[in-house]
Amino acid sequence: MNKLRLGIVGSGMIAGIIANAIKQVESIELVAVASRRPVSAKAFADEHGINLVFDTWQEMLASDSIDAIYVATPTASKEEIAIYGAQNKKHLLVEKPYSSAKSLENMINAANVNGVSFMDATHFTHNPRTKVINDIMEKEIGAPQAVRTSFFFPFMDKTNIRFDTSKEPTGAVGDMTWYSMRAIAEYLKPTAPLKLISGAIVRDEETNAVIRGSGVAVFEDGKSSTFDFGYNVGTCLMDLDILGHEGVFSMSDYVLDWKNGFAFDNQDHVVGFTKRKEMQQPSEHQYIEADSSEAQSVFMMRNFAALTSDVESTENAKAQHLALLTQTLLDAYWDAVA
């Protein structure tokens, strides 16, 4: 079996996480890197054992030495890089979020026209737990009618790109609320039009970057979601509730599981979720195991490699649909609060 030869555009923290994940996937080989700062690309290559270092991403994407790219750059530059990659017949794995749904649509169209795959890099989508929840949800708690999420991590480093509104204009909205919107797409699976979406954001007084917010989304069929997110509550929250007609699924680590999430490494933890029904007390709640010894980033890279082998598959269409729905909801929220 020929391995998928991958090049990374970018050399930051998240690119390092993907590089480490690739080392655990037999079907992918990380062969090249390019960054806006060549010295950073060289250091990244040395750290991860990458043979090819390109001075520019244009050179790397035009090279015959790679089959696919992972784009881990600031939001504003992703569309240009992805489209150029597609035009050079490179499969696309692009870090979230995107400048707009239109920008994302341009990337996906370029992929389709050029016969390559497109997938966004949302890790929890690929956690085996996500499939377990979707497989048993209707049987265990009935059809989903609402999703509640809360995603915070303590991060007020104002020198970070998240606080640079010229590079990341939506701040915590794009960074954090993407996951709230993806939970809607993954678990609520709305098919009716959005009836209303509203909320409020809080900006940092010094940088004007968005650091916290909340919101509500309601669809024409009555399905709904409430969400809170931000950097400034002093702890990590990753809470998710899926409200069915007959019970609730809950978890406290929906973005990065406690066991293998790149920020956590509790090997004693069993990945899963809690089912609550009727008038049960906490001691009566059922914990449903969906454990794995591998990180969700590893599953994501394995699934991406599989996706590139059949660009006309239903899985490729599903990946594009999830990305577009997530970004469309994110755009609607940003338009409501900005």
Side-chain angles (χ1 to χ4, degrees):
M1 179 182 70
N2 293 328
K3 290 188 176 184
L4 182 73
R5 301 171 302 165
L6 187 91
I8 292 182
V9 185
S11 56
M13 181 269 290
I14 192 66
I17 291 165
I18 295 303
N20 288 330
I22 290 170
K23 296 170 186 176
Q24 303 173 62
V25 179
E26 293 183 354
S27 53
I28 304 181
E29 182 180 9
L30 180 53
V31 300
V33 63
S35 176
R36 59 188 175 89
R37 294 188 300 167
V39 65
S40 296
K42 179 62 169 62
F44 188 89
D46 290 343
E47 179 182 358
H48 295 285
I50 300 170
N51 293 327
L52 299 175
V53 180
F54 289 85
D55 290 335
T56 68
W57 59 261
Q58 290 92 338
E59 291 179 87
M60 187 178 77
L61 271 55
S63 168
D64 291 333
S65 60
I66 63 171
D67 309 306
I69 58 170
Y70 167 56
V71 182
T73 64
T75 300
S77 61
K78 290 171 184 170
E79 180 180 349
E80 179 185 13
I81 296 170
I83 290 177
Y84 191 77
Q87 290 170 342
N88 282 273
K89 308 300 181 182
K90 305 300 188 285
H91 299 285
L92 306 176
L93 176 65
V94 186
E95 192 57 52
K96 57 78 192 170
Y98 310 101
S99 297
S100 65
K102 179 59 179 175
S103 175
L104 174 57
E105 197 171 53
N106 291 341
M107 296 182 229
I108 290 173
N109 287 342
N112 291 338
V113 166
N114 289 281
V116 296
S117 296
F118 175 93
M119 192 171 83
D120 72 78
T122 305
H123 297 193
F124 87 80
T125 289
H126 304 274
N127 193 312
R129 175 174 56 185
T130 301
K131 184 177 187 304
V132 171
I133 289 173
N134 280 318
D135 284 349
I136 71 172
M137 185 189 307
E138 297 229 2
K139 177 184 176 182
E140 296 290 334
I141 63 170
Q145 57 181 326
V147 167
R148 302 187 302 214
T149 54
S150 182
F151 183 27
F152 291 85
F153 62 79
F155 194 87
M156 289 299 292
D157 177 6
K158 297 181 184 180
T159 66
N160 188 271
I161 192 174
R162 294 172 174 85
F163 289 81
D164 185 342
T165 56
S166 67
K167 294 179 179 177
E168 298 294 345
T170 63
V173 172
D175 187 28
M176 310 288 283
T177 317
W178 171 273
Y179 295 96
S180 299
M181 300 309 172
R182 186 48 154 260
I184 295 173
E186 283 285 356
Y187 300 123
L188 201 58
K189 295 179 175 59
T191 55
L194 189 64
K195 182 177 181 179
L196 69 88
I197 190 166
S198 63
I201 54 176
V202 176
R203 293 182 179 271
D204 175 59
E205 292 182 0
E206 180 181 341
T207 64
N208 202 41
V210 180
I211 56 173
R212 186 175 66 80
S214 61
V216 58
V218 181
F219 297 88
E220 293 284 357
D221 60 0
K223 289 185 177 181
S224 64
S225 180
T226 56
F227 47 93
D228 298 276
F229 60 93
Y231 304 136
N232 64 344
V233 301
T235 190
C236 179
L237 295 175
M238 301 181 289
D239 298 340
L240 168 74
D241 294 318
I242 305 170
L243 285 64
H245 288 275
E246 300 170 15
V248 176
F249 283 163
S250 300
M251 67 188 80
S252 61
D253 59 348
Y254 89 95
V255 178
L256 298 171
D257 70 69
W258 299 122
K259 184 174 184 177
N260 294 306
F262 59 78
F264 310 101
D265 184 24
N266 180 5
Q267 293 303 304
D268 293 329
H269 178 74
V270 177
V271 179
F273 52 98
T274 300
K275 182 178 76 170
R276 292 181 284 173
K277 298 188 75 172
E278 300 172 341
M279 298 297 290
Q280 291 176 333
Q281 298 183 51
S283 61
E284 299 174 293
H285 296 168
Q286 178 186 0
Y287 191 73
I288 299 174
E289 297 183 7
D291 204 17
S292 171
S293 61
E294 294 183 311
Q296 53 195 19
S297 56
V298 174
F299 285 102
M300 181 178 76
M301 296 314 300
R302 189 175 292 125
N303 290 342
F304 176 63
L307 207 65
T308 65
S309 66
D310 185 3
V311 298
E312 297 183 358
S313 68
T314 57
E315 288 302 311
N316 198 60
K318 178 183 175 183
Q320 295 180 5
H321 167 74
L322 283 172
L324 274 172
L325 176 56
T326 305
Q327 186 66 47
T328 298
L329 292 170
L330 191 64
D331 285 2
Y333 176 69
W334 180 246
D335 290 342
V337 300

